[in-house]
């Protein structure tokens, strides 16, 4: 979506550059210039609306990244805690002979 918006703005900018180059190379009457002014204003409005759409899109993307960062930190903390608990709760390896001795002692 952003690529399409940037492509559209680039095309609009190219059109503006061409129209400026055309206007500079050929003398136009005031009537012809007055007809081009609304078109240029329309193009400027279009660029302004595209920029505002791009800002809105970028804000939404930044918000999504912020949420991602928060969730990633939370998941990372949970994994660290899990690994710690697993490490701490490992049953000690006891031989059969040691278990027999403990049973005898308890009896």
């Amino acid at each position: 979506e952003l690529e399409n918006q940037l492509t559209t703005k680039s095309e609009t900018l190219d059109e503006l550059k061409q129209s400026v180059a055309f206007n500079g190379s050929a003398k136009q009457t005031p009537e012809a210039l007055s007809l081009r002014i609304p078109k240029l204003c329309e193009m400027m409005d279009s660029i302004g609306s595209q920029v505002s759409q791009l800002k809105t899109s970028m804000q939404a993307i930044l918000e999504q990244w912020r949420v991602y960062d928060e969730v990633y930190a939370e998941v990372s903390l949970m994994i660290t805690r899990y690994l710690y608990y697993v490490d701490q709760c490992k049953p000690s390896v006891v031989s059969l002979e040691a278990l027999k001795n403990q049973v005898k002692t308890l009896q």
Side-chain angles (χ1 to χ4, degrees):
E1 179 185 346
L2 292 176
E3 288 181 21
N4 292 337
Q5 290 177 356
L6 291 174
T7 303
T8 304
K9 284 198 294 185
S10 177
E11 291 171 355
T12 305
L13 184 60
D14 289 340
E15 289 176 15
L16 285 172
K17 286 180 182 178
Q18 288 174 357
S19 72
V20 168
F22 177 74
N23 288 338
S25 64
K27 293 183 180 178
Q28 293 187 358
T29 63
E31 293 83 17
L33 289 176
S34 67
L35 293 175
R36 290 193 51 78
I37 289 174
K39 171 99 172 135
L40 291 174
C41 290
E42 179 184 327
M43 293 169 95
M44 285 179 52
D45 290 342
S46 173
I47 290 173
S49 68
Q50 290 174 3
V51 167
S52 67
Q53 288 175 352
L54 183 60
K55 283 182 181 179
T56 303
S57 297
M58 290 302 293
Q59 287 173 346
I61 290 169
L62 288 173
E63 177 63 20
Q64 290 172 353
W65 274 109
R66 185 190 62 75
V67 169
Y68 170 82
D69 285 341
E70 289 175 2
V71 170
Y72 179 83
E74 188 175 332
V75 169
S76 179
L77 180 63
M78 289 174 153
I79 290 172
T80 303
R81 286 180 178 163
Y82 169 78
L83 292 174
Y84 174 77
Y85 292 136
V86 166
D87 188 51
Q88 296 300 314
C89 296
K90 282 184 184 175
S92 58
V93 178
V94 179
S95 68
L96 182 59
E97 194 63 37
L99 285 174
K100 286 180 183 179
N101 288 337
Q102 285 180 356
V103 169
K104 285 180 183 178
T105 304
L106 289 173
Q107 288 174 350

